[in-house]
């Protein structure tokens, strides 16, 4: 979000703004919101998708994590269910986080398995710094039997050393943000 003077026609400015934005960012729409709106803090739900490549592919480079291990996808799918609900996610936060509240309400945690890759989708009311990547790394470690402790126990223990490695950022995409009806945004 950003603040602009009331006398600027923002719809006419979209094309101009897109011309100066980096290639990885595109502006499709503007919407006026109340002054107390904040793009980060007013969000009610966020959804991330993380892509894991099953085989090395130049086309997926930079957009997925290539995992060369044989993974037990069914086990990973089962363990992801433990993430659902309101939990303390201390075990999955970065040591560099400044967040004091580790409670998050996870509303979706699911895998879709394809021939050459898999996607992990997770949606919650909020996320802690590096939480999604830590969860994905832990699920991969569970899927390759590097971690034998159930995900539910890792959550309960609240100990970062019990969770897996942090997955690389390449496969992570913020897919959707919901603001609810309060601001008239989808």
């Amino acid at each position: 979000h950003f603040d602009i003077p009331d006398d600027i026609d923002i719809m006419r400015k979209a094309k101009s703004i897109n011309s100066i934005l980096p290639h990885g960012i595109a502006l499709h729409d503007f919407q006026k919101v109340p002054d107390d709106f904040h793009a980060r803090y007013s969000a009610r739900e966020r959804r991330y998708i993380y892509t894991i490549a099953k085989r090395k592919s130049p086309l997926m480079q930079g957009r997925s994590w290539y995992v060369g291990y044989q993974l037990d996808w069914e086990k990973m799918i089962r363990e992801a269910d433990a993430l659902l609900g309101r939990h303390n996610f201390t075990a999955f936060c970065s040591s560099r986080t400044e967040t004091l509240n580790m409670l998050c309400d996870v509303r979706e945690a699911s895998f879709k398995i394809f021939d050459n890759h898999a996607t992990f989708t997770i949606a919650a009311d909020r996320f802690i710094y590096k939480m999604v990547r830590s969860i994905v790394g832990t699920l991969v470690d569970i899927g390759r039997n590097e971690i034998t402790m159930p995900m539910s126990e890792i959550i309960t223990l609240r100990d970062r050393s019990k969770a897996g490695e942090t997955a690389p950022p390449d496969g992570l995409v913020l897919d959707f943000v919901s603001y609810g009806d309060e601001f008239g945004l989808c």
Side-chain angles (χ1 to χ4, degrees):
H1 74 271
F2 54 91
D3 298 325
I4 60 169
D6 288 334
D7 62 342
I8 292 178
D9 183 354
I10 58 175
M11 295 309 179
R12 290 185 45 204
K13 299 295 180 188
K15 187 174 182 179
S16 299
I17 292 172
N18 271 326
S19 70
I20 61 171
L21 287 173
H23 292 293
I25 301 173
L27 179 63
H28 294 283
D29 191 18
F30 282 107
Q31 185 167 341
K32 187 167 178 59
V33 292
D35 289 339
D36 63 342
F37 174 82
H38 190 284
R40 179 176 175 197
Y41 300 119
S42 298
R44 299 292 173 245
E45 182 173 280
R46 297 139 178 94
R47 181 175 64 215
Y48 286 92
I49 297 176
Y50 194 97
T51 302
I52 301 170
K54 293 180 176 182
R55 68 180 190 190
K56 191 173 180 179
S57 167
L59 298 176
M60 297 288 281
Q61 186 176 350
R63 294 185 298 208
S64 67
W65 177 22
Y66 167 60
V67 176
Y69 305 107
Q70 186 69 18
L71 298 175
D72 182 343
W73 292 102
E74 292 302 318
K75 185 176 182 182
M76 293 166 66
I77 291 167
R78 284 192 311 274
E79 291 298 323
D81 284 344
L83 299 164
L84 296 172
R86 189 167 180 78
H87 303 287
N88 182 311
F89 283 93
T90 298
F92 303 101
C93 75
S94 168
S95 60
R96 295 188 318 178
T97 188
E98 296 178 9
T99 303
L100 299 177
N101 177 7
M102 302 298 177
L103 292 175
C104 302
D105 183 10
V106 175
R107 298 163 186 166
E108 179 182 359
S110 61
F111 279 97
K112 287 185 182 174
I113 312 299
F114 303 95
D115 289 338
N116 299 323
H117 70 282
T119 58
F120 174 68
T121 302
I122 186 165
D125 62 337
R126 61 191 292 272
F127 289 95
I128 304 162
Y129 181 61
K130 293 192 180 179
M131 176 179 154
V132 176
R133 291 173 45 209
S134 298
I135 287 171
V136 170
T138 302
L139 287 167
V140 166
D141 283 347
I142 288 171
R144 66 185 190 112
N145 292 314
E146 185 70 22
I147 293 178
T148 57
M149 184 182 297
M151 183 66 86
S152 59
E153 192 172 335
I154 294 169
I155 293 168
T156 301
L157 291 174
R158 300 179 188 175
D159 182 350
R160 181 66 183 99
S161 70
K162 303 298 183 201
E165 296 286 329
T166 301
D170 294 352
L172 185 63
V173 174
L174 175 62
D175 178 58
F176 181 76
V177 179
S178 172
Y179 294 97
D181 296 334
E182 180 180 352
F183 297 105
L185 302 171
C186 299

